[in-house]
Amino acid sequence: MQIAVTSKLDESFQPVPIPSDDDWLRSHKEKGQTMKAFERKTSKAVPHATHKTIYIQPIGSFDHPRVISFNVIIEFVRVFFPRCEVELLSTIDFSKDMKYREKDGIRQYQTAGFYKYLSRTRHKRNSRRELVCVAITMADIYVDEVEDWVYGQARIVDSLAVYSFARLDPLYPTSPQTLFSSPLTDEHRVIMIRRCVKILLHELGHLFGLKHCIYYICLMNGANNETEMDRQPLYLCPICLRKLYSTFHFNVCDVYEKFANICEKYRLEEEHKWYWKRLDCIQNPNK
């Protein structure tokens, strides 16, 4: 593990650039999270005894020709968090708990309603197995009048999160009618897989105690816009990797190899190359 977080860092990781006017770090005063701060953090999910299951709760309709299969996304989650089981729950409709508003002709659901529903129905899931639960929806979501849309959000104290597919389609903000009638090209499918996976892994990272990263270009960077979201990679920087390792104690090379293979399977070529190159840096530090 020590080699993984120290060897040839300059070849694999880039520092966070100076934020532009619309970037996350320009509008959010992030202090960063050291390893010591992570270790002191008590409100984080830690697999223990039988509590090892990540529940995925789809909410609302997913009957859409451009939707990415849940099974594809879950493959990545299982590798990234190797001590966890992942279970996909049956899709449910929006409930009365889920407040919504109409904005610019688009229905947006408030994230608080998802948390209320997931908390209220916790007893229907297996409480002896549940570690965290994440709601997924095709609907656009918002937090409040300030954060009037988000890709996703985590409520760490309750081990719950929610994220939306709504803004992950490369054709967004095209009208729903146009989206529904547009075939999903291979290029767009790759982009959407990458985005769907990274947002879910990011929110799960929060539930496992990782705050936004301000040190390197990293999966745990905050994102205010599409440019920032696409800049987030599908890997953790050495600082965040060390934090996650302290919880899961996985074999880094084994996880990297499996993740590289999944990336190849779904044509995420950039990520596939990065993981194999990083593996070489770890396995051959003196080359």
Side-chain angles (χ1 to χ4, degrees):
M1 176 59 192
Q2 186 63 21
I3 294 176
V5 297
T6 57
S7 176
K8 302 180 181 180
L9 299 186
D10 291 344
E11 294 184 21
S12 304
F13 304 98
Q14 301 297 321
V16 172
I18 297 173
S20 60
D21 290 342
D22 295 331
D23 283 356
W24 179 271
L25 288 177
R26 184 57 62 89
S27 57
H28 297 77
K29 303 301 180 183
E30 302 272 14
K31 296 181 179 179
Q33 182 189 43
T34 64
M35 186 65 197
K36 288 185 178 180
F38 174 81
E39 291 172 336
R40 289 195 302 266
K41 188 175 178 63
T42 56
S43 56
K44 60 186 176 187
V46 178
H48 62 284
T50 61
H51 298 274
K52 300 176 182 179
T53 301
I54 298 171
Y55 282 113
I56 306 295
Q57 176 63 75
I59 298 178
S61 174
F62 287 85
D63 183 17
H64 198 287
R66 296 178 65 84
V67 73
I68 299 301
S69 166
F70 296 133
N71 290 330
V72 171
I73 299 169
I74 286 172
E75 278 192 65
F76 287 88
V77 177
R78 287 194 172 114
V79 172
F80 207 82
F81 302 105
R83 283 182 57 195
C84 291
E85 299 173 3
V86 186
E87 183 172 328
L88 179 65
L89 301 171
S90 298
T91 302
I92 59 102
D93 201 357
F94 294 102
S95 76
K96 61 182 180 180
D97 294 330
M98 300 172 191
K99 176 184 175 182
Y100 65 85
R101 67 181 184 183
E102 303 290 339
K103 184 178 181 183
D104 301 326
I106 298 174
R107 177 167 292 189
Q108 289 184 305
Y109 284 84
Q110 192 170 29
T111 55
F114 293 93
Y115 297 136
K116 186 175 181 180
Y117 172 82
L118 293 178
S119 296
R120 181 170 57 81
T121 59
R122 194 185 299 268
H123 68 282
K124 295 183 179 181
R125 302 187 292 274
N126 190 327
S127 60
R128 294 189 69 251
R129 294 179 57 214
E130 180 169 341
L131 181 61
V132 300
C133 185
V134 182
I136 301 179
T137 181
M138 288 281 287
D140 202 23
I141 57 176
Y142 75 104
V143 178
D144 50 34
E145 297 305 317
V146 176
E147 291 187 275
D148 60 355
W149 69 268
V150 289
Y151 293 118
Q153 187 190 38
R155 182 176 284 181
I156 302 171
V157 67
D158 294 322
S159 297
L160 302 173
V162 56
Y163 92 108
S164 166
F165 286 1
R167 296 172 183 254
L168 305 185
D169 194 311
L171 295 183
Y172 180 87
T174 306
S175 70
Q177 294 79 11
T178 301
L179 281 175
F180 203 86
S181 62
S182 300
L184 183 60
T185 64
D186 289 343
E187 179 185 4
H188 282 182
R189 186 173 187 274
V190 168
I191 292 172
M192 289 178 67
I193 289 174
R194 180 180 287 120
R195 290 175 174 178
C196 288
V197 170
K198 76 169 60 175
I199 299 299
L200 179 54
L201 295 183
H202 178 98
E203 299 306 336
L204 285 169
H206 283 319
L207 294 182
F208 289 116
L210 277 66
K211 291 189 175 183
H212 283 137
C213 181
I214 65 170
Y215 308 108
Y216 292 94
I217 299 295
C218 173
L219 174 69
M220 295 309 299
N221 295 147
N224 254 1
N225 51 63
E226 186 177 280
T227 299
E228 281 193 299
M229 175 182 61
D230 286 337
R231 188 173 65 202
Q232 289 175 331
L234 272 178
Y235 55 80
L236 294 172
C237 75
I239 296 172
C240 294
L241 177 64
R242 188 180 175 198
K243 296 171 190 174
L244 197 68
Y245 175 83
S246 72
T247 296
F248 287 91
H249 300 287
F250 47 77
N251 182 309
V252 175
C253 290
D254 182 58
V255 170
Y256 274 21
E257 183 173 344
K258 289 179 179 177
F259 206 86
N261 290 336
I262 296 179
C263 289
E264 182 180 31
K265 178 180 178 180
Y266 293 108
R267 301 182 182 179
L268 303 184
E269 295 179 3
E270 180 181 335
E271 290 80 3
H272 173 247
K273 291 177 181 177
W274 185 91
Y275 272 97
W276 280 116
K277 182 178 179 181
R278 186 63 193 152
L279 267 171
D280 185 60
C281 291
I282 296 170
Q283 295 171 338
N284 302 286
N286 298 318
K287 187 169 73 173

